[in-house]
Structure formats: structure tokens, C-alpha cells
Amino acid sequence: MYRISKEKKAFVLFLSLFFLSILTITIDYNGSGVFGFFEDLGMSAYKPINQSFNTVVNKIKEYSFLFAKIENLQKENEILKNEKKVFLQENSIAREKAFAYDRLIKMFQFKEYYSYEMMVANIVGREPANWFHSITIDRGINDEVENDMGVANYKGLVGKIVETKQNNSQVLLLIDQGCSVGAMVQRTREIGVIKGGPDTSYCYLDYISHDADIKINDIVVTSGMGSTIPKGIPIGQVVAIQKEKHDLFQRILVKPEVDFNKLEEVFIVKNID
């Protein structure tokens, strides 16, 4: 049997102790040693991957926050849009009520000023084939409305009743060529007849004598003659006068006070007290 001599045993023991010492010194050096070396080597290799991963995670967090913020802004924007719609609707209703109130106040003042029996009526239609020349109102025979009664608003004469039914009536507007009403120049008391003309923005005051004193801006009112329309309702202002040397009458152009494009409520002037 092969035996190891004492010298060899001592040499092996010496080598073992030597390498153990080297290993111990390496481990204790800077707290790392061989294992630290491999650890540093591994960390060096992992570091770029770790940085990339962290960058991706941070970007995902940023985008998630951004998307959440955008979603919240969209919700807030939708709420604001709805609130704006409600506000505009309420504002529109309030403005419409204010306009209606203003019209009614003026109509009430008009009614108080003139000592006529008046009945309020709403416009419910216009003649399709003759849009600006006649209107339909929601008062008729059941309301004791009769033909030739005058129709006015707070600005002045609108026209006269030409056809009545049970619950509505047709009004021929002052600007229609078929409409004629007794009229008077307020300043001079000259009597004539107001008629509609081809230009639906104006009327003509006829049968005023050639020598009558008529001036631009003179006020023309109803005369109360020749119809059931009472005296003194405003018609309009004189805007032009034509006098031919050999004519018996002046040709007088009158701008009505009423805006016939914006009629909504009117008065039926029934009779004089």
C-alpha cells in the first residue's frame, strides 16, 4: 500500500493553507473579493438592461398619466359644453321673454293712450303666395270680429280685416295695393286716402290738393272717415312729395311706422268709446 510521506503531507497542508489564506484575503479586500468581482461583472452587464427597463416603465407611467389627464379634460370639456348649451337656451328664453314683455308693455301703453276698445290677437299665418301683403290672426266671428275693422300694433296701423271665420280672420296689410284707408296729415288736417304701392316698403297718400301745405316728415294718421277704423292711429311719415304743375293732387310718399316683417302680436281696434 502506497503511503504518503510526512514531507509530502506537510507540503500539501502548506499549499492548502496558502490558498485558503489567499482566498480569505481576496474576500476581505474591499468587502468584495472574487465573489465581488463576479458580482461587479454581472452588474455591469445588467446595468444597461436595467436602465432601459426603468426608462420604459417611466415612459409608460408618463403616458398613462397623460392619457388619464386627457380623458379628464375631455370629460370636463363635455360638461362645459352641456353647461354652455343650457346657458344659451336659458339666455335665449330670457331674451325672448324680455322682448315679449317689452312689446306687451308698449301695446298696453298704446291701448291706454287711445280710447278705443282693443283686443289682442296673435299672428298665426301669412299668405304663401303673397307673403308680405296679408296675415291671418287667431280671432274671428266668435270674438265679434267684423270686416273692415282696423288692426294695429304699438307703432301704428297694420291694416284692416277683409275676411272673417269662426276662429280666425285675414288681415290685408296697409302696404298692399288693394288696401285703402282714410288718412289725415296731422299738422295741417288735410284729408286724403292712404294706399299701398308697388314698393312694399312705402304707401301713397292720395287726393291731397295741389296747393295743400305738406312737408317732409309730416305725420300721417287715420282720419276716421269712410271706414270703421277710428281716427288718430299713426300711419307713417311723409318722405317725398311730387307736385306736377297741371295736376289737381300731390303725389305723397309715406313711410309706414310699422315694420311689416316683424309682426307678432296685434290689436283689433273694435270701436270708439
Side-chain angles (χ1 to χ4, degrees):
M1 182 176 183
Y2 177 76
R3 293 183 179 179
I4 301 173
S5 64
K6 289 182 179 180
E7 292 80 3
K8 289 184 179 181
K9 287 182 180 180
F11 181 73
V12 171
L13 180 60
F14 170 76
L15 288 177
S16 298
L17 291 173
F18 176 77
F19 284 114
L20 181 60
S21 298
I22 294 298
L23 182 61
T24 302
I25 292 170
T26 305
I27 292 172
D28 291 338
Y29 183 72
N30 292 331
S32 57
V34 174
F35 298 107
F37 170 76
F38 287 110
E39 182 180 0
D40 292 340
L41 184 63
M43 288 299 293
S44 298
Y46 176 72
K47 187 176 181 180
I49 298 174
N50 185 51
Q51 289 178 342
S52 299
F53 178 76
N54 288 334
T55 301
V56 172
V57 170
N58 290 334
K59 289 296 182 183
I60 291 173
K61 288 180 179 178
E62 290 177 4
Y63 286 131
S64 298
F65 175 76
L66 182 61
F67 290 145
K69 192 171 183 179
I70 291 173
E71 186 176 359
N72 289 334
L73 288 174
Q74 288 176 338
K75 289 180 180 178
E76 291 177 3
N77 187 48
E78 193 64 29
I79 292 172
L80 289 174
K81 282 183 178 179
N82 292 333
E83 290 178 350
K84 182 181 178 182
K85 287 180 182 178
V86 172
F87 173 78
L88 290 175
Q89 289 173 350
E90 291 177 348
N91 185 53
S92 177
I93 292 171
R95 285 172 60 84
E96 190 62 28
K97 287 182 178 179
F99 288 142
Y101 178 77
D102 184 60
R103 290 195 307 271
L104 291 174
I105 287 294
K106 289 175 179 177
M107 291 183 72
F108 176 77
Q109 291 171 344
F110 180 88
K111 185 177 180 181
E112 289 295 304
Y113 183 79
Y114 294 98
S115 57
Y116 310 141
E117 182 181 344
M118 299 185 188
M119 178 169 52
V120 176
N122 295 304
I123 296 172
V124 294
R126 291 181 182 266
E127 194 66 34
N130 208 13
W131 184 257
F132 295 107
H133 294 180
S134 64
I135 56 175
T136 302
I137 57 176
D138 62 351
R139 298 283 188 175
I141 296 172
N142 291 339
D143 302 294
E144 299 181 353
V145 177
E146 299 176 2
N147 287 346
D148 291 328
M149 282 184 172
V151 176
N153 70 359
Y154 63 89
K155 287 187 174 182
L157 188 67
V158 171
K160 64 181 181 180
I161 304 291
V162 292
E163 182 182 358
T164 57
K165 297 180 181 179
Q166 292 299 319
N167 297 305
N168 59 71
S169 301
Q170 188 176 17
V171 179
L172 190 64
L173 299 182
L174 187 63
I175 52 176
D176 188 271
Q177 289 181 290
C179 184
S180 60
V181 176
M184 176 176 65
V185 179
Q186 194 174 54
R187 181 178 61 85
T188 62
R189 320 309 285 177
E190 295 287 344
I191 302 297
V193 174
I194 196 83
K195 295 180 178 180
D199 185 339
T200 56
S201 297
Y202 298 92
C203 297
Y204 290 95
L205 179 60
D206 289 340
Y207 308 116
I208 300 294
S209 67
H210 185 275
D211 297 328
D213 177 22
I214 307 296
K215 295 179 180 179
I216 301 297
N217 295 326
D218 271 347
I219 302 298
V220 179
V221 299
T222 55
S223 66
M225 297 183 180
S227 70
T228 59
I229 300 174
K231 180 180 179 180
I233 299 175
I235 293 175
Q237 282 187 314
V238 174
V239 293
I241 303 169
Q242 183 179 355
K243 282 186 174 184
E244 297 294 339
K245 188 175 182 179
H246 301 292
D247 287 345
L248 293 176
F249 304 109
Q250 301 180 43
R251 184 71 165 167
I252 301 170
L253 189 66
V254 176
K255 174 70 174 176
E257 292 291 335
V258 172
D259 186 344
F260 295 93
N261 296 323
K262 297 180 180 179
L263 293 173
E264 294 186 60
E265 302 94 4
V266 293
F267 280 126
I268 299 170
V269 186
K270 298 187 70 173
N271 62 282
I272 302 175
D273 288 341

